[in-house]
Amino acid sequence: QKEVEQDPGPLSVPEGAIVSLNCTYSNSAFQYFMWYRQYSRKGPELLMYTYSSGNKEDGRFTAQVDKSSKYISLFIRDSQPSDSATYLCAMSADAGGTSYGKLTFGQGTILTVHP
Amino acid sequence: NAGVTQTPKFRILKIGQSMTLQCTQDMNHNYMYWYRQDPGMGLKLIYYSVGAGITDKGEVPNGYNVSRSTTEDFPLRLELAAPSQTSVYFCASRVSNTEAFFGQGTRLTVV
């Protein structure tokens, strides 16, 4: 079983739709959760960063973490064609612990928002 | 600040050749990582380092070596290139439990 599972999609939605992206994980030591966006032929860029359980909102983006279910989500409201990219979830345990801050990624979900 | 800089951006290697992928960061980050990304496969960790002189294997270390003699530099060495090493390689760095910053990647083809 992979430590982090992410539905690779691809996902195609019309402009203005609400997009839901999800990851599940198996390592209960994970405490830090991130979502990265990667445009074609570019490096990943951080979109959202959360610690432990809860919600975080930034503009059209909302990240949710449910540690009891080992499940994280990213919601994109009013999606735009410029949101078309690959979205990667990432997570890590405490860097001071035995994991030494390893950052584990999901497979990535390819999202296309069409006008 | 330049952030994380990777060189070269592109490279074609013949089977059996060797090369070093360079990675430099100017943010004084203690943690550095090397990932490879194959189509539809996400990012797989090759090696990582928690500080100068300390490195450890990730998920897919076979065929690669690393060193970390300074805080800034974390080169990745391929000794005997194989077609299975055709991939896009990303270097990243972070401070402890914060976000990771990525370079723009090195696109490597082994023929």
Side-chain angles (χ1 to χ4, degrees):
Chain A
Q1 182 188 7
K2 290 182 182 178
E3 270 195 310
V4 180
E5 297 272 6
Q6 181 177 4
D7 185 345
L11 193 58
S12 181
V13 301
E15 184 174 355
I18 297 174
V19 175
S20 172
L21 304 168
N22 311 293
C23 288
T24 58
Y25 62 95
S26 58
N27 188 344
S28 58
F30 286 150
Q31 297 185 54
Y32 302 91
F33 304 91
M34 287 147 269
W35 285 95
Y36 283 83
R37 180 173 60 195
Q38 186 180 25
Y39 290 115
S40 180
R41 306 180 85 84
K42 298 289 187 183
E45 294 178 316
L46 184 74
L47 204 54
M48 299 288 280
Y49 176 91
T50 53
Y51 168 68
S52 196
S53 285
N55 295 355
K56 184 174 183 179
E57 188 173 319
D58 184 1
R60 296 185 294 111
F61 299 90
T62 299
Q64 290 185 349
V65 175
D66 182 349
K67 288 189 70 180
S68 63
S69 302
K70 297 189 178 67
Y71 187 86
I72 71 171
S73 301
L74 178 71
F75 297 95
I76 307 174
R77 291 183 299 280
D78 188 25
S79 57
Q80 303 295 309
S82 58
D83 294 329
S84 298
T86 297
Y87 290 80
L88 297 145
C89 64
M91 43 198 85
S92 69
D94 184 1
T98 55
S99 74
Y100 290 110
K102 275 196 290 189
L103 192 58
T104 304
F105 282 82
Q107 287 176 275
T109 300
I110 300 170
L111 172 68
T112 302
V113 181
H114 51 87
Chain B
N1 283 347
V4 179
T5 302
Q6 289 184 239
T7 57
K9 287 187 170 54
F10 306 93
R11 184 73 185 267
I12 298 175
L13 273 184
K14 293 185 178 179
I15 294 171
Q17 286 186 321
S18 62
M19 76 164 292
T20 299
L21 282 67
Q22 302 290 346
C23 176
T24 300
Q25 53 92 6
D26 62 0
M27 298 173 283
N28 202 31
H29 287 172
N30 48 343
Y31 292 88
M32 294 188 75
Y33 307 83
W34 274 106
Y35 291 90
R36 60 176 287 172
Q37 186 175 35
D38 301 313
M41 299 300 290
L43 290 161
K44 291 188 177 179
L45 183 63
I46 306 171
Y47 271 96
Y48 65 104
S49 169
V50 301
I54 307 170
T55 63
D56 205 350
K57 296 177 181 179
E59 184 184 357
V60 290
N62 291 344
Y64 307 94
N65 274 302
V66 293
S67 60
R68 184 98 181 267
S69 57
T70 66
T71 298
E72 295 77 20
D73 300 308
F74 190 41
L76 177 71
R77 179 92 178 150
L78 282 70
E79 290 294 349
L80 289 169
S84 61
Q85 293 176 307
T86 293
S87 189
V88 181
Y89 292 84
F90 288 101
C91 178
S93 71
R94 70 196 288 225
V95 173
S96 191
N97 294 319
T98 62
E99 67 176 284
F101 292 84
F102 282 81
Q104 288 302 296
T106 295
R107 198 168 290 269
L108 176 66
T109 303
V110 182
V111 296

